[in-house]
Amino acid sequence: MWTQPADPLGILWLSALVAVVPIALFLILLVVFKMQGIVAAAIAVVAEVVVALWAFGMPAASVAGAGLYGFLNALWPIAYIIVMAVWLYRLAVASGHFDVVQASISGISSDQRIQVLLIAFAFGAFLEGAAGFGVPIAICAALLVQLGFRPVKAAMICLVANVAAGAYGAIGIPVIVGANVGGVDVMDLSRALVLLLQPLTFFVPFLLVIILDGWRGLRETWLAALVASVALSGVQGGLLWLLGPELADLGAGLAAMAAIVLLGRFWKPRRIFREGGGEAPEVTRYPLREVAVAWSPFYILTAFILVWSIPAFKDLFAEGGPLAWAVFKIPIPGLTGVVETAEGAVVTQTWDFTPLNATGTAIFLAVIVSFFSMPRLKASDLWHELAETIKALWQAIVLIVLILMLANIANYSGGSATIGAALAAIGPLFPLVAPIIGWFGVFITGSVVNNNTLFAQLQVTTAKHIGVSPTLLIAANTAGGATGKVISPQSIAIAAGAVGLSGRESEILRAAIGYSIGMLAVICIWTFTLAQLLPG
């Protein structure tokens, strides 16, 4: 049995400084030396191994075990979910369904303020839940430009709108990873995010209208903004509170779109707003049946995810349930029953392989069922799109693997605990800066998933030292990360490419940074307030 040292060098701030070297190195290599993420992460993993072996005295077998655990978790369930979700999206595009989907959205209103609410806010949230990985920013920004928006404004609006959905990503992955790395319950984290992030989410539609057309625009369209806000934040909050994060964006995005469409049947703004006073482009009209068929992959996906998320289904696979045999708990050599935390708890962590009840399996079944609603595609197209999906995502998956390996070695060597102990010196003021860590993490890595992988355990450890709810600080890390996506270089590069501004990313950054910092400040103050109200 090996016990993690709380202060291996005998001076807490020095031990923490050594422990933070791999993470700092990763960030410096990305920002200063502008290395590829994979290269920077690989170097940081090597540095983490050296720190774990040398400074913390972790046995080589335990270092390997922690790295293996990170590797396995990256592939299952995270990579599995991402590949399945993007595969479904690519099939919708290849089948031609997505052209109809875009046209059906664009034809609802010619007022650009309503289009922003419908596309950037509601449809963007839906796409974030279905695919994530920059897909909603790219598609929605390009669609807004096609509808007559100026490219910089279109890109910036989609980045700001993504704050309402970015914390939950593709099928809730950021929340699932945050709970996994931080060792908290997924449902508890989901409910903490309701308390922390929903007030800002409710405000986002009003902010989008103000950005586009000022206070006059808000006076003219406040009803539409209110309807969109109530529908999305209400459904999102309810799903998070009752079912968890998997459908938080999918269900909320659909509800907001439906609410806006329904409102448009009996209410129109007095003035039709177009940037520069231009004319609205002509939109192709499709029969209702064709529109319904085009949307069917997303209905099917939502249905499968809903079934997989309900407690009754989950209970089938719980210990003692009729399908508990389908959950394989695999001990990690060198880690399970071998490592003891500084607090005296023996690590009992296993890798859970869940082929039947994994969220990725629900998406896979949705892919197969949806394929039969795509007569233009052959079986060979189905597997071709899967191969192309893996080809497009392999670098992102490798990066997630490396970051999870780094994070788990840091966690199980005691490095994260040492950093948390040092940060706890800030004392009661730490909740005020906790979201800034998440904001910075996403600014650098471009991903709320990667951010939670890097910093969730640090937030937990610090929370325990200062007597604050660990779940609240992971939520703060996630929420701060959502505001960081607005100006993440990765997000801005995706937006710039989508609207034809590659090479002019700085223009989008300058337009968006004020909103990102403003929303971060709101989250910081609200986190500090909740930390005083909620039990530790």
Side-chain angles (χ1 to χ4, degrees):
M1 185 75 65
W2 174 77
T3 303
Q4 298 171 350
D7 181 13
L9 301 182
I11 304 173
L12 183 58
W13 68 265
L14 184 58
S15 296
L17 189 62
V18 171
V20 84
V21 163
I23 295 174
L25 179 63
F26 174 60
L27 302 181
I28 291 169
L29 291 176
L30 282 177
V31 176
V32 179
F33 294 96
K34 303 188 186 305
M35 284 188 178
Q36 284 188 323
I38 292 176
V39 176
I43 294 172
V45 168
V46 172
E48 183 59 56
V49 170
V50 172
V51 168
L53 290 171
W54 167 70
F56 286 82
M58 190 178 193
S62 296
V63 172
L68 175 63
Y69 182 62
F71 174 83
L72 293 173
N73 268 317
L75 296 182
W76 190 285
I78 298 170
Y80 182 37
I81 293 174
I82 293 168
V83 169
M84 292 299 103
V86 176
W87 185 21
L88 178 64
Y89 161 72
R90 289 182 64 96
L91 286 172
V93 173
S95 68
H97 280 359
F98 213 77
D99 293 335
V100 182
V101 169
Q102 288 179 321
S104 67
I105 293 174
S106 305
I108 291 170
S109 175
S110 59
D111 189 299
Q112 289 186 328
R113 297 165 299 189
I114 308 302
Q115 290 174 348
V116 160
L117 296 175
L118 184 63
I119 296 170
F121 183 66
F123 189 49
F126 179 83
L127 287 177
E128 183 69 39
F133 268 76
V135 168
I137 294 171
I139 292 175
C140 294
L143 186 55
L144 288 181
V145 170
Q146 292 173 5
L147 292 171
F149 285 73
R150 294 168 184 162
V152 172
K153 184 68 69 68
M156 182 266 285
I157 282 176
C158 289
L159 288 164
V160 172
N162 191 248
V163 170
Y168 314 109
I171 321 298
I173 279 291
V175 181
I176 294 169
V177 168
N180 188 316
V181 174
V184 302
D185 184 73
V186 172
M187 288 303 302
D188 289 343
L189 181 55
S190 297
R191 289 165 180 164
L193 280 162
V194 173
L195 298 177
L196 180 60
L197 193 51
Q198 285 307 304
L200 179 61
T201 299
F202 186 88
F203 175 69
V204 167
F206 302 95
L207 177 61
L208 295 175
V209 172
I210 292 171
I211 291 172
L212 188 62
D213 192 29
W215 291 102
R216 177 189 179 188
L218 184 60
R219 287 195 300 271
E220 294 177 348
T221 59
W222 66 268
L223 180 60
L226 179 63
V227 167
S229 180
V230 169
L232 189 139
S233 61
V235 171
Q236 189 179 70
L239 289 170
L240 285 166
W241 197 271
L242 298 174
L243 296 178
E246 290 88 350
L247 285 175
D249 285 341
L250 279 171
L254 281 173
M257 284 189 285
I260 295 169
V261 170
L262 182 62
L263 177 68
R265 291 186 175 276
F266 61 86
W267 175 88
K268 302 289 183 185
R270 291 180 300 172
R271 175 177 64 100
I272 300 299
F273 172 79
R274 305 286 304 174
E275 277 195 306
E279 294 294 325
E282 189 172 338
V283 177
T284 304
R285 303 287 179 178
Y286 291 91
L288 180 60
R289 180 181 179 280
E290 193 170 350
V291 172
V293 170
W295 276 94
S296 63
F298 303 107
Y299 303 148
I300 294 167
L301 172 64
T302 303
F304 272 104
I305 294 295
L306 180 61
V307 171
W308 257 245
S309 301
I310 59 177
F313 182 84
K314 292 181 177 180
D315 288 344
L316 296 175
F317 300 88
E319 188 173 350
L323 296 178
W325 57 266
V327 177
F328 303 93
K329 294 183 176 293
I330 302 172
I332 306 299
L335 190 64
T336 308
V338 176
V339 174
E340 184 180 45
T341 67
E343 290 79 18
V346 177
V347 172
T348 58
Q349 193 67 55
T350 60
W351 177 58
D352 295 347
F353 180 61
T354 54
L356 295 183
N357 61 317
T359 301
T361 301
I363 308 172
F364 171 74
L365 293 174
V367 168
I368 300 303
V369 173
S370 298
F371 172 71
F372 292 102
S373 72
M374 303 173 179
R376 287 174 49 179
L377 298 184
K378 299 175 293 186
S380 59
D381 296 322
L382 178 69
W383 306 115
H384 171 74
E385 289 301 329
L386 175 59
E388 290 298 311
T389 298
I390 296 172
K391 181 180 177 182
L393 292 177
W394 75 267
Q395 289 188 345
I397 291 170
V398 171
L399 180 58
I400 291 172
V401 166
L402 291 170
I403 290 177
L404 272 170
M405 290 175 67
L406 183 155
N408 278 277
I409 295 171
N411 291 345
Y412 290 109
S413 69
S416 296
T418 301
I419 296 170
L423 285 174
I426 300 175
L429 290 179
F430 182 80
L432 192 63
V433 302
I436 298 175
I437 296 174
W439 182 89
F440 183 70
V442 173
F443 174 78
I444 298 301
T445 67
S447 165
V448 182
V449 173
N450 291 346
N451 164 57
N452 274 351
T453 301
L454 282 172
F455 297 123
Q457 184 61 43
L458 183 150
Q459 298 275 11
V460 167
T461 306
T462 307
K464 291 177 179 177
H465 278 281
I466 63 175
V468 173
S469 166
T471 305
L472 174 63
L473 292 196
I474 298 179
N477 198 69
T478 306
T483 64
K485 281 190 75 175
V486 176
I487 57 167
S488 161
Q490 178 177 305
S491 299
I492 288 178
I494 291 170
V499 299
L501 291 180
S502 294
R504 296 169 58 187
E505 290 82 3
S506 61
E507 296 179 37
I508 301 173
L509 176 62
R510 289 196 298 270
I513 191 168
Y515 300 107
S516 177
I517 294 174
M519 290 186 288
L520 173 65
V522 171
I523 293 296
C524 288
I525 294 170
W526 186 228
T527 299
F528 182 77
T529 302
L530 288 176
Q532 315 311 308
L533 300 175
L534 299 178

